[in-house]
């Protein structure tokens, strides 16, 4: 930390006996969870975009029929509309399975490890970085 700067707030201060390596390990675990959070968000994007595409097919089918292309409208309805994105699954099922088999377990394990090693305190690595990078006396670098 910069000389003269206060340490992180009590909620983000490492408990006594927690080593630098443990703080670094917890930071790496937190970063991995944040990456999984981003992947989960992308999965929800995939789910919503695919659903929107499927709903937009209604207009395509209607317009193909209006333009006299009934055979092609039938093809879109038969081959694409409501289709599974992977065998036996719509996107909501993929999201549910990701959450149940990966994301929920990841969050629980990260929380359990953080509780055991750091009294449940979160973002110790980042909080210490914030304290170290503060410019003493600058109003936008306050501890709070």
């Amino acid at each position: 930390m910069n000389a003269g700067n206060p340490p992180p707030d009590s909620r983000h201060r490492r408990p006594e006996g927690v080593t630098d390596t443990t703080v670094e390990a917890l930071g790496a675990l937190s970063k991995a969870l944040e990456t999984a959070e981003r992947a989960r968000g992308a999965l929800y994007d995939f789910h919503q975009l695919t659903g929107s595409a499927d709903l937009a097919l209604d207009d395509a089918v209607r317009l193909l029929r209006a333009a006299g292309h009934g055979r092609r409208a039938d093809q879109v309805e038969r081959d694409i509309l409501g289709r599974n994105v992977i065998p036996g699954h719509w996107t909501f099922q993929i999201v549910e399975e990701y959450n149940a088999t990966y994301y929920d377990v990841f969050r629980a394990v990260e929380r359990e490890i953080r509780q055991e090693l750091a009294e449940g305190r979160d973002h110790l690595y980042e909080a210490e970085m914030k304290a170290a990078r503060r410019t003493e006396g600058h109003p936008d670098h306050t501890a709070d």
Side-chain angles (χ1 to χ4, degrees), residues 11-112:
R11 203 180 82 176
H12 293 103
R13 198 168 299 144
R14 75 169 74 181
E16 192 165 323
V18 175
T19 66
D20 289 347
T21 304
T22 298
V23 169
E24 188 175 351
L26 291 171
L29 184 59
S30 175
K31 182 178 180 179
L33 177 59
E34 290 168 6
T35 302
E37 293 274 7
R38 291 178 59 207
R40 185 172 181 248
L43 196 55
Y44 274 93
D45 286 344
F46 164 72
H47 163 60
Q48 291 178 353
L49 289 168
T50 301
S52 294
D54 191 70
L55 292 173
L57 290 173
D58 293 337
D59 284 339
V61 167
R62 180 181 55 76
L63 291 168
L64 284 168
R65 287 198 198 293
H69 306 290
R71 185 173 63 82
R72 292 304 188 184
D74 291 344
Q75 180 184 18
V76 170
E77 283 183 323
R78 179 186 63 244
D79 293 343
I80 305 171
L81 190 70
R83 185 182 184 91
N84 291 329
V85 295
I86 61 172
H89 294 82
W90 272 25
T91 58
F92 76 91
Q93 294 168 301
I94 296 169
V95 169
E96 289 175 351
E97 290 300 314
Y98 179 85
N99 285 338
T101 62
Y102 186 76
Y103 175 75
D104 292 345
V105 174
F106 198 145
R107 278 191 66 207
V109 168
E110 186 272 342
R111 186 180 308 113
E112 178 184 320

